Amino acid sequence: MKKVERKILLNPGPATTTVSVKNAMVVEDICPREEKFGALIEGIKNDLVKVIHGEGEYVAALFAASGTGGLEAAITSAVPKGKKLLVVENGAYGTRMIKLAQTFDIDVVKYQLEYGDYPSLDAIESLLKENDDVSHLAVVHHETTTGMLNPIQEICYLSHKYGVEVIVDCMSSYAGIPINAKKWQAEYIVSSSNNCIQGMAGLAFVIFKVDLLSKLSEQKRSFYFNIYNQYVGFEKTGQLQFTPPVQVCHALRQAIDEYLEEGEEGRWNRYKDNWELLVEGLQDLGLSFLLPYGQQSKILLAIMEPKHPNYNFDAMHDYLYEKGFTIYPGKGAKSATFRLSVLGDLYRKDIEDFLVALKGYLTSIA
Ligand SMILES: Cc1ncc(COP(=O)(O)O)c(C=O)c1O
């Protein structure tokens, strides 16, 4: 295996991966219609459900796509014609779900907030009361735009009170922040292979309640991103409908094994510890944050951009990139920010080294 330099990705996915996940992609050529490959996919699908404790009640549909493909599958498969989707929009990924739904002529009721504002349950309840033609509510668990953790449990409870099903975008929280699907009772949970699960980009998955299958069989908005066809097709044939990225599937298998070995608590504690260390270090450097502590996901920070006249995000990015650290710009939050995330195969020493490098940049412009 070619030796590659380890890079510290502080962007919120795709994340820094282990050497073993990278190596897992070097496999013999195989036709994905072979039984052996089908068994690999079967195991992956089962374990994806296990990660969020959904066994027995939830199943997974897997698509060759980035995460947005999973959202497209969930939204277009779930929302029936003539019904509306209520979207909680307090970040760019809420906005994206609105655009996605509108592309398919799905009527959207927006609960619009500034990027970084915490959703009010009373406001959501009013919208649910006022719009009895809403069949689904879509919300982002960890809003990667700001680092906000939205109150999914409470939103699920409210939605169900009004007979509304819930689609949760867990792109940047799944396998990082502990999730219990059966506690939430969310109908659809969407994520992808390249964030906290620490695999490679290329697979999106929708974990959904198996008892929704008969309802789903009636939806025909999308050909490729159809949860029913993808799930039932695999059940019948042991094959995915369309050509999967074989090597990325092997990497995901390895990444799931490593997740199960580290354990839910182990991964969450590693991320939280790295985040705490980052918070303290950034505060020592005089930086402050967009969100109050209690609303933070503890795996990503939106940091207020320094006011110094010599500060420039691109220059800071390039300075740090040269040293092996990738940072991320802001994304329309209500104040100017840049972002740092700790998801991925990162450790204390990586954060300490990063803080030294960042101090170097800030000193160079002072
Ligand atoms: C919360 C959230 N939703 C959706 C997406 C879109 O995922 P992708 O770029 O893999 O399509 C992202 C990507 O970062 C995200 O953080």
Side-chain angles (χ1 to χ4, degrees):
M1 176 71 183
K2 196 167 107 187
K3 197 164 170 12
V4 291
E5 206 180 318
R6 182 164 179 270
K7 297 289 183 190
I8 307 301
L9 301 189
L10 299 171
N11 50 297
T16 298
T17 53
T18 59
V19 173
S20 35
V21 164
K22 291 189 239 308
N23 281 342
M25 288 192 294
V26 185
V27 285
E28 64 191 17
D29 293 324
I30 185 168
C31 169
R33 307 243 167 255
E34 289 300 325
E35 247 176 60
K36 187 177 168 194
F37 190 77
L40 176 84
I41 296 299
E42 174 77 18
I44 288 176
K45 275 160 32 89
N46 290 340
D47 283 344
L48 289 174
V49 173
K50 196 167 149 187
V51 167
I52 55 170
H53 311 285
E55 300 101 309
E57 212 175 313
Y58 289 80
V59 288
L62 197 62
F63 296 90
S66 79
T68 307
L71 293 169
E72 190 158 321
I75 290 173
T76 61
S77 300
V79 184
K81 296 231 162 76
K83 292 289 182 184
K84 291 184 181 163
L85 177 70
L86 168 57
V87 181
V88 179
E89 184 188 15
N90 63 343
Y93 294 104
T95 307
R96 191 176 285 186
M97 289 198 285
I98 292 173
K99 288 187 183 153
L100 195 166
Q102 288 172 338
T103 304
F104 289 89
D105 290 329
I106 295 171
D107 274 336
V108 173
V109 175
K110 298 178 196 173
Y111 172 34
Q112 216 164 17
L113 293 150
E114 280 207 85
Y115 289 7
D117 281 353
Y118 198 70
S120 144
L121 296 174
D122 288 345
I124 294 175
E125 180 150 29
S126 299
L127 288 167
L128 288 166
K129 264 190 202 153
E130 282 160 24
N131 296 280
D132 62 2
D133 45 359
V134 163
S135 62
H136 291 78
L137 176 148
V139 59
V140 180
H141 182 211
H142 172 214
E143 186 38 273
T144 323
T145 317
T146 57
M148 181 174 284
L149 202 61
N150 282 321
I152 303 302
Q153 183 69 78
E154 291 81 353
I155 290 175
C156 284
Y157 176 77
L158 254 186
S159 302
H160 294 152
K161 191 170 143 192
Y162 291 88
V164 167
E165 294 177 3
V166 184
I167 300 167
V168 194
D169 172 347
C170 290
M171 217 62 71
S172 59
S173 57
Y174 175 93
I177 300 169
I179 292 172
N180 189 315
K182 289 182 188 164
K183 244 173 113 187
W184 276 0
Q185 283 294 314
E187 278 74 10
Y188 301 89
I189 293 170
V190 183
S191 195
S192 67
S193 51
N194 55 271
N195 296 314
C196 307
I197 194 69
Q198 298 180 185
M200 296 296 166
L203 289 165
F205 45 91
V206 181
I207 299 174
F208 63 100
K209 285 194 163 185
V210 69
D211 64 10
L212 293 168
L213 274 172
S214 68
K215 257 196 204 177
L216 286 167
S217 67
E218 292 157 24
Q219 308 290 349
K220 296 275 178 278
R221 286 184 199 271
S222 173
F223 179 69
Y224 187 90
F225 291 114
N226 184 301
I227 296 179
Y228 180 84
N229 289 351
Q230 187 71 327
Y231 178 78
V232 172
F234 186 84
E235 287 302 290
K236 282 189 186 147
T237 64
Q239 298 174 9
L240 290 167
Q241 281 187 288
F242 311 106
T243 309
V246 169
Q247 293 72 11
V248 173
C249 295
H250 280 281
L252 180 57
R253 177 66 269 165
Q254 178 66 25
I256 294 171
D257 289 345
E258 290 176 15
Y259 171 84
L260 295 173
E261 199 179 315
E262 184 169 20
E264 183 180 64
E265 278 307 302
R267 179 147 307 176
W268 176 221
N269 286 335
R270 177 165 61 80
Y271 282 14
K272 268 194 307 187
D273 288 350
N274 287 344
W275 184 87
E276 297 283 357
L277 185 63
L278 188 61
V279 167
E280 281 167 28
L282 294 172
Q283 279 170 336
D284 287 348
L285 292 173
L287 294 164
S288 59
F289 312 118
L290 178 74
L291 298 182
Y293 190 86
Q295 294 172 3
Q296 302 269 8
S297 63
K298 300 202 166 48
I299 55 178
L300 181 139
L301 280 165
I303 299 142
M304 307 298 272
E305 294 212 281
K307 293 270 189 287
H308 196 285
N310 295 337
Y311 166 80
N312 174 281
F313 175 80
D314 291 337
M316 177 167 74
H317 168 275
D318 295 352
Y319 177 97
L320 293 166
Y321 190 79
E322 275 291 299
K323 298 184 172 352
F325 304 100
T326 303
I327 63 167
Y328 218 48
K331 200 173 169 70
K334 57 186 174 179
S335 304
T337 58
F338 70 94
R339 290 175 294 165
L340 296 173
S341 133
V342 295
L343 64 89
D345 187 51
L346 302 176
Y347 299 88
R348 222 183 147 77
K349 172 90 170 64
D350 299 321
I351 307 298
E352 287 166 355
D353 291 348
F354 168 73
L355 288 166
V356 170
L358 181 62
K359 188 173 179 181
Y361 169 74
L362 293 174
T363 312
S364 76
I365 60 160

